[in-house]
Amino acid sequence: MAFFQRWWRQQSEAMRIKVKELVDSGRLEFINGGMCMHDEASPHYIDLIDQTTLGHWYIKKEFNQVPRVGWQIDPFGHSAVQAYLLGAELGFDSLFFARIDYQDRAKRLKDKTLEVIWRGSKSLGSSSQIFTGVFPRHYDPPDGFVFEINDVSPPIQDDIFLFDYNVQERVDAFVAAALAQANVTRTNHIMWTMGTDFRYQYAVSWFRQIDKFIHYVNKDGRVNALYSTPSIYTDAKYAANEQWPLKTDDFFPYADRPNAYWTGYFTSRPGFKGYVRVLSGYYVAARQLEFFKGRANTGPNTDALADALAIAQHHDAVSGTQRQHVAADYALRLSIGYMEAEKMVTSSLAFLAEPRVGTGEQKSTLSFQQCPLLNISHCPMSEAALSDGKSLVVVIYNPLGWHREEVVRIPVSTENAVVHDSSGVEVDSQLLPVSNATSKLKSFYVKAYLGTSSSDLVKYWLAFPVSVPPLGFSTYTVSNAKKIDRSSIMSTVYTSEENTNATIEVGQGSLKLLYSMNKGGLSHYVNSRTLVTAAAEQSYGYYSGNDGTDKDPQASGAYVFRPNMTHSLKSQGQAPLTVIQGPLVDEVHQQLNEWISQVTRVYKGKEHAEVEFTIGPIPTDDGTGKEIITQIRTNMKTNKTFYTDSNGRDFIKRIRDFRSDWELEVNQPVAGNYYPINLGMYVEDGSMELSVLVDRSVGGSSLVDGEIELMLHRRLLHDDVRGVGEVLNETVCVLDKCEGLTIQGKFYFRIDPKGEGARWRRTVGQEIYSPLLLAFSEKDVGEPLTSRVTTFSGIDSSYSLPGNIALLTLQELENGKVLIRLAHLYEVGEDKEYSTLASVELRGLFPSRKINKVTEMNLSANQERADMEKRRLIWKVEGSTDEPEVKRGGPVDPEKLVVELAPMEIRTFLLDFDYLREFH
């Protein structure tokens, strides 16, 4: 729709009337209808929903149409979430695509199983299934039927006096191609997709030929040819009353030939993938704050960020498979959208922090700033505030529907910092040194991104614990305390060189990580509360990318992962461990080589390890591209089995070197076992489970029992010849000095007794996606905080969402209605307590407003859910269709206003309020 909108804006009224007539008569049909045809491996499900919603609303507004068909013809592998959530839950009757593993396609051609009923969710089963068609070859017409100007297919010559008159010949070729496809397709309907890449630049040459073919083929009478649309085709398939084979799980990974697994793009452009994920969570929070303030017709808003995030989900955007200048353009659009949304966020926070006087709006005198480069310790506000005799006021907003207790960190330039909560009580704090890697990153990247030199003032991270209400904020003050004893908050630092003990214990709470000093790394994981003790190691390595010069000229590139050799990176002896301990958090700093370092953190109140890695610039001076991995090893007997998420929702069981739909011929034992990871991954044996969570989309696998492997960064020197026509070799430049891209990111790991890991994965997964949002302002040292509102919650003070429910969307629309989406975070059988029906009280969410009407909508809110269910086609499935009864939440009683959610259910509502808006 992003392209259609550009065209539509330029059309005359006469042309628009003509187009609307074609649409109304069903001759021109909108399918898919998102702002782009999104990728299916790298996006988060919330982004998929948002980008589709934007496109669907546009089609509804301009044409009053509701798309019925999913059209994901080009993405490189297909996800379970696409089938049930971005298919059935939108009200789509069918889904079509072209790309499928070459071995899978060969079997389906033989068995006539290219068209299936796909049930993507174990929890929602047949209530969320969709008819799915895989094209027999690709998304192009059969050979000999491509009619762009200068194409090679012979046109029909139907003038009897012409020397090359060929009607019968061309009709015979058409019929032969049709019968060949009919032989691999059930029912007597087949689809020809008339067009392919870069075609229809001159449409007349196509339609002239297709008109003639339809005329002469139908005169011939052996097959019937007609202009059609995907929904007409779907209806014909449905009317045939056929039974269709059942498909579960997903279509990853995708290979288009033996040594070409498209699993490199799961990690390609990790900086861009991280930026998209950060802004996705920010967009969710920004819409909440816009709602709490009240949507305004003027002033800053989130529209530019919405548009930029929507097109960034394209299958050549967040996938990392675009050219460099295109990646830069996507990032620029995102940053412009962010800056606009940031103005809206800070003005909403200022509005909410300003005491209400009566009910009238007043101009806020407060002003807040945010620090988007806080991850590399750049925050001018926190660096400067304490040095000029002012206090720093930190407002911390929590976008989740439950209370949070976390440790936040801000960069400061003095060791004399003291932190107070909003009632003036001093809170514990801890000063930590800024790692060398972060200091180096900061000076280079601040210059590269902002064109200014960063200050050298930052000496420490100041860490302090915060407590924040649901959908609300708390306020903390950081000030300069000249005359206090700092020893209690200074971390103690020592290195393995000074420490003669063989083992050092890290962690102040239940979780202890044991490090072996002579090996220079992690050796054991011990949780005294859950009584888990496990040998555990974590290391780095890299694959050298194939350069495409052997007998199969397939190189590793932006799409394809084709490793040559595996290299493990042992810590190069000279780098001792540095251990930093204090009251809130313990850290272990490791420098593995010149271009890989990491900080492992264990927070006192948490039972997981956080690993912050800094990788880059990846050296390529030896002429080989490198794909960097980290591995976490245990002795667990995991029987080749591991579990990865689908776009951050359902977990799917993976078995090494195995596919459930066909006998796999293994050609690439590494790349062929890689899967996309957006939320996390876990392995389990009879007694324990090891889980890893990620902060952005990455590729990962379990190539050895008991082990989890993630690919964190890649830099390559050859193109993989799949259309991008450019090497994946990202660099960052300051003036004329360019170096390979450095990535700083995080992953988190934890070992639980078997069956108990889901709660951590789901809860902390939400906290990673929706981090606490920090905004800063200054105040004079003596000025009391009483002049502002210091704590706020947008929901009833006695209410919070159940632990298994997330509020995905809270958005005030232009017409004053409010869009909300609520999601159940657990699958059936995932957790003993949380995999059950849950309920949400809408009155608790909106305490100070009167709800007049609640209308349940489909996922993209372009039709009422009841209408969608009435229209849904009920397909027949082959063989035994016994399945456990699928549970769904019941209708919302207008008196009680309680929303029920069954496992994995997402429900979407439009709310009408009585607009007497007041906050107390």
Side-chain angles (χ1 to χ4, degrees), residues 462-474:
L462 174 68
F464 56 97
V466 299
S467 171
V468 198
L471 294 167
F473 62 74
S474 297

Side-chain angles (χ1 to χ4, degrees), residues 759-770:
R759 191 162 306 192
W760 177 72
R761 292 190 291 270
R762 295 297 184 183
T763 308
V764 175
Q766 284 297 109
E767 292 169 358
I768 295 167
Y769 173 76
S770 282

Side-chain angles (χ1 to χ4, degrees), residues 116-182:
V116 296
I117 302 301
W118 186 1
R119 286 182 192 160
S121 173
K122 293 192 297 284
S123 304
L124 297 174
S126 59
S127 75
S128 233
Q129 64 188 23
I130 191 165
F131 176 82
T132 303
V134 183
F135 300 155
R137 183 179 70 179
H138 195 49
Y139 51 70
D140 51 358
D143 289 338
F145 298 93
V146 184
F147 300 114
E148 198 71 20
I149 282 190
N150 296 334
D151 263 327
V152 293
S153 303
I156 290 187
Q157 292 290 22
D158 54 356
D159 178 346
I160 201 88
F161 297 109
L162 279 175
F163 177 71
D164 49 0
Y165 176 81
N166 64 356
V167 170
Q168 195 55 44
E169 210 177 301
R170 293 306 281 138
V171 166
D172 287 347
F174 188 103
V175 171
L179 293 176
Q181 187 168 333

